Amino acid sequence: MVVLKKIIYFTQNFLYLVNKSMKKLYLIVFLLVNTFQANAQFDEFEQYIERDILGVDNINYDVEEKKQIIGAARSSRSIEELPVTLYIIDHNDIVSNGYVTLCDVLKNVPGIRVSQPAGSELGEGFVQRGMIGNIYTKILVNGIDIKPSGVTSMPLGANLPIRQAERIEIIYGPASASYGNDACGGVINIVTKRPGDKAFTSADLMFGSGGKRYLNFNVGSKLGHGKHVVEFTLYGSDLNINEMQLPDETSDVYNRWNYFFQNGDVINYQGYAITPTMVTEEMFTKYDFLFSDMNLYFVNYQGDFYYPQICKRPQQGTQVGVDVRYKGLTFSYNVLHRMDFTNHGASGFTYNLSDPEALFGEYIHRFALSGDYQFGNVSTNTSLHLNHYRMDENSYRTVNWNTARQYFWGACDDLGLEENIIWKLNEKLDIIGGASFTYTGVLPKTTDNSTKFDYSSYKMFSESVDFQFPLIGSWGIYPYTYYQTGAYLQADFDVKPVNITAGVRYDYNSQWGSTVNPRLAVLWKITDDFSFRASEGFAYKTPAPNQIYYTVSVAVPNESAPNGYVLAYHHIPTVGKLVPEHISSTEVGFRLYFNKTNYMELVGYTNRMRDPLVRNWVAMDDIANYVPQANVYMSGGEKTGYIVDGYLGVGVTNLTNSEVDRKYTRAYANEKDAKSKLYGLQLIGVMQDIYKPIHLNIKGALTYSVGQEIISANNAGETQFNTINYVRGVPKFMGQLSAEFDFWKIMHLRLDNIYCTKVSRRYYNGVDNDFFWSPAYYTLDVALSSKISKNLTILVKGVNLTNKLYGGMDAFEMDVDLPYNPQLLRNFTFGVSYDF
């Protein structure tokens, strides 16, 4: 323990210095890259890889590459021998198409729907087979976790090494049998580029719509001779957008009164039945006595009667990475930082949208030490990592009911150890096994307070904080520690023409107990060109600390309250009331090859979820079940609220339902009687070099989804379960078609077409009206690149050239969201890439 404390103390001080010198670090690294360019003598470096987004055939098919270990699949088998749905995006595709973020890459992968933006907490987001990928998909960098375990979702933006990736491996389906928690929807592994036998350096400069500026570099080389060679890579990137190209405030999607009518066609307010046509400025003036209390709610509202004032909505993303390798031992350090406009996708009825400095962001620092060794027919991978997460201390949002800024806070530290072993018994059987242990200290991320949290009061892995807020004391400050450990065993059988993968994993979480998740997958090569595969997998997702202890409260002055303030509880913790979500999936697929690179594939799958975790209305009468230290407050012989940490608290209920007064608040809960089933069918085609003079490639995917959910109406009061014959957030049809070709020998053109039918909102209150559906859309992206010299490439890219106004993922999955979350309108990027 003494050694551990010393490591923690050293890490704390180091991270403090890094956080305070982020910009200086980036500048130093950039200057270092230029020094290498000026003085190092690099060998000629050229690489030709076939472009392929939707298939797996873009990997170089020489002997060594074909037999590489696919990290995301945890297998030593070659790609075509794996009985899973796997897609690989190579470096050439990333560069030639101007991809900067992970969602840029995923946008054209079959069946994945992206949201750019998705909201402040997610940044950018994606939905993979009905599940939010930021939450349910395991994201790795070089095979090691990059997401802190104490946060609900992985924040995505220009904060991952995408342009430095040699390849990005994407696996569909539950993978808890290998990875444990968070691998419910699949696994994404970003594999960064290594120098190999030759050194390299590359850099990108991009600019575009909305004042977009992007700078990126990557350098790798080797030092030493013979057996004493040190291999290193150094990379980083910085993105700044002054104003995202989103619809302006005159768009009907921002009409603040939508907040009411998404709950039905009539508002029952103060005994009056109000229809949409009655909501006019004249009516509010005429019935001032009726709406006077509502005017108090808009004390910080900016805008006219219908549309809020909307500021420029910026976006920022920075990442720096260092990898040093020596004799199988690798040290890696990554720092990720991003900032997004806090109120993306939020209703102007509730949130103020006029402050461009209202940003939401966080830092993630990851230190990793790993070793890869071979002992005869046994290969091992051992890794030790520390993930250090802190919310940016300047993160805040603005609201209509309060003129003060509302600050966020949150912290998490993971210390993890993992061991993986592959034992190749013979050519027909591999045994793969491993074990992991992670110790986590967390200060759950939560909101809102007009005072910044003092991060110096919280130490890594601490269970107490010497800090209180001026008005609400320690409400919302709940630091604690926990651990999770697990072990798995997997067997890969290769008995021609059948490949079988069978595995099981046991996990124990100190909060949630134990779980066992098996997986079975089979690949049958019926002929050399025709194969069949089937799999069944199980997964689980533990509640995140941010869900257990999520708190939102508003301090309202009240002379009769014990401490002079009443807390209006918007959200309260759900201590001891949650259980893990459980997911299972079945998949079958057929693939027919026409030749080595051209094929058609038909995939059918189903995802099933039980015990889903949702935000529910909670009666304040039951608050003692959720907040153990709560005490009833009596005034004049009547119960008027609850005392928590010395402060009087009351509920907060939807303004459209005045009859329930302040008797309800929100809390996360498992819906025990809720169920979700998604059935999908995908047809995928990859046709390369159809017309050789221009190297015409066409890739497409058509996804058909149906399903059913049993879900409660999200209303305060008695819970009522309804059955809906679809899965929320999933379109019935989604089509993706990409075409690319060369012309004039130096030009390359790519066209990406996406069509999506209407999509239902995640927030459900039992009302199915126009406000519950995002409209259908078609978008066209075009990328034109030209290699004007051996080392220099220019790029022009247009996104959403149809200028379609359409919706992405809901920002909060609550009634405070816009009817749909607007996505980027027509925008352009111009770039120059240098490779040497």
Side-chain angles (χ1 to χ4, degrees):
M1 287 300 295
V2 175
V3 175
L4 179 60
K5 288 182 178 179
K6 289 183 177 180
I7 293 174
I8 292 172
Y9 176 78
F10 171 80
T11 306
Q12 285 176 325
N13 287 277
F14 179 78
L15 292 173
Y16 174 80
L17 293 174
V18 172
N19 266 328
K20 293 297 182 182
S21 58
M22 183 72 177
K23 292 184 178 179
K24 292 182 180 179
L25 174 64
Y26 188 82
L27 179 61
I28 292 170
V29 171
F30 181 67
L31 292 174
L32 181 61
V33 173
N34 281 280
T35 302
F36 275 110
Q37 287 182 299
N39 298 298
Q41 297 296 319
F42 293 129
D43 293 330
E44 292 184 0
F45 181 75
E46 288 185 295
Q47 186 177 16
Y48 298 95
I49 302 177
E50 291 293 324
R51 295 181 175 89
D52 191 341
I53 287 287
L54 301 181
V56 299
D57 307 291
N58 46 1
I59 295 299
N60 284 341
Y61 274 86
D62 54 57
V63 175
E64 293 182 358
E65 198 74 21
K66 188 175 180 180
K67 290 295 181 182
Q68 65 185 321
I69 293 178
I70 303 300
R74 284 195 164 161
S75 174
S76 62
R77 298 294 178 183
S78 60
I79 295 170
E80 71 271 15
E81 293 173 334
L82 292 172
V84 296
T85 300
L86 166 68
Y87 299 97
I88 295 182
I89 314 302
D90 74 15
H91 179 72
N92 267 22
D93 268 315
I94 294 169
V95 173
S96 64
N97 292 293
Y99 298 151
V100 170
T101 71
L102 180 60
C103 285
D104 288 342
V105 174
L106 298 177
K107 189 175 184 179
N108 295 291
V109 173
I112 294 182
R113 188 172 68 90
V114 305
S115 185
Q116 300 174 287
S120 56
E121 291 194 42
L122 298 181
E124 296 185 349
F126 66 100
V127 177
Q128 185 175 18
R129 292 189 176 177
M131 290 178 281
I132 298 174
N134 307 58
I135 300 174
Y136 294 98
T137 297
K138 196 87 167 178
I139 298 178
L140 315 170
V141 174
N142 294 322
I144 301 175
D145 284 353
I146 196 70
K147 174 195 165 189
S149 65
V151 301
T152 305
S153 58
M154 176 65 195
L156 295 179
N159 58 345
L160 287 171
I162 298 303
R163 294 187 71 81
Q164 294 86 5
E166 181 64 37
R167 68 182 185 273
I168 299 176
E169 305 166 352
I170 304 164
I171 287 187
Y172 289 72
S176 285
S178 298
Y179 283 98
N181 192 32
D182 290 345
C184 304
V187 179
I188 296 176
N189 185 28
I190 302 168
V191 182
T192 57
K193 194 173 181 178
R194 296 177 57 177
D197 295 332
K198 298 179 181 180
F200 67 85
T201 183
S202 63
D204 299 294
L205 177 63
M206 297 182 187
F207 58 94
S209 304
K212 178 180 181 178
R213 304 183 307 279
Y214 176 75
L215 177 66
N216 161 76
F217 70 88
N218 192 14
V219 61
S221 188
K222 290 184 176 181
L223 301 174
H225 300 281
K227 296 182 179 180
H228 302 285
V229 176
V230 177
E231 176 186 315
F232 73 90
T233 54
L234 191 65
Y235 53 82
S237 63
D238 183 63
L239 171 70
N240 280 279
I241 299 176
N242 294 333
E243 181 179 9
M244 298 187 71
Q245 300 299 288
L246 299 169
D248 61 31
E249 63 262 36
T250 61
S251 171
D252 280 342
V253 71
Y254 295 115
N255 188 325
R256 62 170 167 162
W257 303 111
N258 290 337
Y259 173 79
F260 281 126
F261 298 110
Q262 66 186 2
N263 295 303
D265 297 328
V266 177
I267 303 170
N268 294 311
Y269 186 74
Q270 301 283 6
Y272 289 81
I274 303 172
T275 63
T277 57
M278 296 170 62
V279 180
T280 64
E281 193 165 6
E282 291 75 17
M283 188 193 73
F284 270 57
T285 302
K286 181 177 180 180
Y287 297 99
D288 179 65
F289 70 93
L290 182 63
F291 298 101
S292 58
D293 59 334
M294 191 178 294
N295 291 331
L296 295 175
Y297 181 81
F298 293 120
V299 64
N300 197 39
Y301 176 77
Q302 304 291 325
D304 63 25
F305 180 79
Y306 296 101
Y307 300 104
Q309 178 182 325
I310 300 179
C311 65
K312 294 181 178 179
R313 288 154 286 186
Q315 184 182 49
Q316 303 170 15
T318 303
Q319 59 92 20
V320 174
V322 179
D323 295 324
V324 181
R325 299 175 178 86
Y326 178 71
K327 290 187 174 182
L329 193 65
T330 302
F331 169 77
S332 300
Y333 169 66
N334 295 86
V335 56
L336 285 59
H337 180 243
R338 64 99 195 183
M339 297 287 283
D340 284 280
F341 182 63
T342 305
N343 289 333
H344 270 314
S347 169
F349 183 89
T350 306
Y351 297 106
N352 180 288
L353 307 178
S354 64
D355 184 358
E357 295 182 1
L359 301 175
F360 184 108
E362 59 263 293
Y363 288 90
I364 298 175
H365 300 264
R366 190 194 70 174
F367 301 84
L369 184 65
S370 62
D372 294 279
Y373 297 99
Q374 186 83 28
F375 305 96
N377 59 351
V378 176
S379 58
T380 68
N381 170 264
T382 307
S383 65
L384 175 68
H385 74 273
L386 172 67
N387 282 0
H388 177 83
Y389 170 93
R390 295 293 182 272
M391 286 201 64
D392 191 298
E393 63 181 6
N394 297 309
S395 296
Y396 73 89
R397 69 179 176 188
T398 48
V399 298
N400 287 338
W401 66 78
N402 195 324
T403 57
R405 294 177 171 181
Q406 305 296 302
Y407 287 96
F408 303 83
W409 67 91
C412 176
D413 300 287
D414 296 322
L415 187 60
L417 176 65
E418 185 172 39
E419 174 68 35
N420 296 288
I421 300 173
I422 298 179
W423 179 19
K424 195 171 186 62
L425 276 76
N426 50 55
E427 289 299 318
K428 297 183 182 298
L429 178 61
D430 292 355
I431 301 295
I432 304 169
S436 63
F437 176 85
T438 303
Y439 182 66
T440 298
V442 61
L443 177 67
K445 181 171 61 178
T446 186
T447 62
D448 301 352
N449 200 277
S450 58
T451 304
K452 288 185 180 181
F453 178 80
D454 181 8
Y455 279 97
S456 65
S457 67
Y458 174 72
K459 305 301 181 184
M460 294 173 64
F461 305 106
S462 174
E463 294 187 346
S464 63
V465 175
D466 185 20
F467 176 81
Q468 289 195 348
F469 291 107
L471 294 180
I472 62 174
S474 60
W475 171 254
I477 304 176
Y478 304 112
Y480 72 102
T481 61
Y482 64 95
Y483 69 88
Q484 48 192 355
T485 186
Y488 76 97
L489 187 65
Q490 176 178 305
D492 288 351
F493 300 90
D494 185 6
V495 183
K496 301 298 184 185
V498 175
N499 294 314
I500 301 174
T501 296
V504 64
R505 181 180 175 107
Y506 169 83
D507 285 283
Y508 178 79
N509 185 293
S510 59
Q511 283 183 291
W512 311 109
S514 60
T515 183
V516 177
N517 292 280
R519 178 177 62 177
L520 177 65
V522 179
L523 174 69
W524 176 24
K525 291 186 177 180
I526 301 172
T527 69
D528 290 340
D529 300 322
F530 185 55
S531 63
F532 165 79
R533 69 175 184 273
S535 64
E536 177 76 15
F538 297 84
Y540 75 102
K541 177 74 173 66
T542 60
N546 302 337
Q547 295 171 316
I548 306 167
Y549 289 105
Y550 187 70
T551 59
V552 180
S553 61
V554 178
V556 181
N558 189 312
E559 294 181 358
S560 64
N563 291 313
Y565 284 88
V566 169
L567 293 186
Y569 293 123
H570 285 243
H571 215 290
I572 63 173
T574 50
V575 181
K577 290 290 182 179
L578 305 179
V579 298
E581 299 172 294
H582 292 276
I583 293 97
S584 59
S585 178
T586 304
E587 179 183 295
V588 295
F590 297 88
R591 175 176 287 193
L592 175 63
Y593 278 95
F594 305 110
N595 54 41
K596 185 177 179 180
T597 59
N598 298 337
Y599 63 87
M600 295 288 291
E601 186 170 28
L602 183 65
V603 181
Y605 57 87
T606 178
N607 282 348
R608 304 170 296 278
M609 178 182 290
R610 57 186 175 89
D611 298 326
L613 195 61
V614 299
R615 303 177 198 253
N616 269 350
W617 286 102
V618 178
M620 288 296 290
D621 287 344
D622 296 331
I623 190 172
N625 294 327
Y626 295 86
V627 186
Q629 69 271 29
N631 296 309
V632 175
Y633 178 70
M634 305 292 291
S635 177
E638 294 184 0
K639 178 179 63 179
T640 59
Y642 292 86
I643 300 293
V644 179
D645 285 342
Y647 289 85
L648 173 62
V650 297
V652 55
T653 308
N654 194 323
L655 288 176
T656 64
N657 195 347
S658 59
E659 295 178 1
V660 295
D661 198 29
R662 295 285 187 171
K663 298 178 181 178
Y664 289 87
T665 183
R666 289 187 185 273
Y668 277 104
N670 294 101
E671 289 197 325
K672 294 290 185 180
D673 296 319
K675 296 178 182 178
S676 176
K677 292 183 180 180
L678 174 69
Y679 302 92
L681 190 65
Q682 275 184 345
L683 179 64
I684 301 166
V686 174
M687 305 297 290
Q688 298 192 98
D689 239 2
I690 300 172
Y691 185 55
K692 293 187 180 298
I694 61 172
H695 300 292
L696 174 63
N697 297 334
I698 296 178
K699 303 112 183 183
L702 179 63
T703 304
Y704 173 70
S705 302
V706 295
Q708 185 181 84
E709 287 192 88
I710 301 174
I711 188 170
S712 66
N714 204 337
N715 293 314
E718 183 180 355
T719 300
Q720 178 182 351
F721 281 85
N722 298 320
T723 299
I724 56 176
N725 293 314
Y726 49 83
V727 173
R728 292 163 300 149
V730 179
K732 189 171 185 178
F733 287 99
M734 183 175 182
Q736 297 154 290
L737 180 65
S738 299
E740 58 183 348
F741 60 90
D742 300 323
F743 60 98
W744 295 344
K745 295 184 178 180
I746 62 170
M747 307 290 285
H748 181 78
L749 181 67
R750 180 185 174 103
L751 299 94
D752 292 316
N753 304 265
I754 295 177
Y755 172 75
C756 188
T757 56
K758 66 179 184 178
V759 180
S760 62
R761 297 179 60 179
R762 296 285 300 178
Y763 176 77
Y764 178 74
N765 60 3
V767 177
D768 189 349
N769 60 16
D770 290 341
F771 290 97
F772 185 60
W773 295 92
S774 295
Y777 64 87
Y778 162 74
T779 63
L780 171 65
D781 297 349
V782 176
L784 176 65
S785 60
S786 175
K787 198 169 184 65
I788 60 177
S789 72
K790 179 180 178 181
N791 307 114
L792 195 64
T793 302
I794 60 174
L795 169 75
V796 179
K797 183 171 184 177
V799 174
N800 192 8
L801 294 186
T802 54
N803 209 36
K804 178 65 176 178
L805 176 57
Y806 67 101
M809 294 163 51
D810 300 331
F812 304 112
E813 299 186 12
M814 296 174 65
D815 56 343
V816 295
D817 289 338
L818 293 173
Y820 59 86
N821 190 358
Q823 300 297 281
L824 290 172
L825 295 175
R826 184 185 297 122
N827 63 96
F828 296 93
T829 297
F830 305 89
V832 179
S833 298
Y834 177 77
D835 288 284
F836 187 79

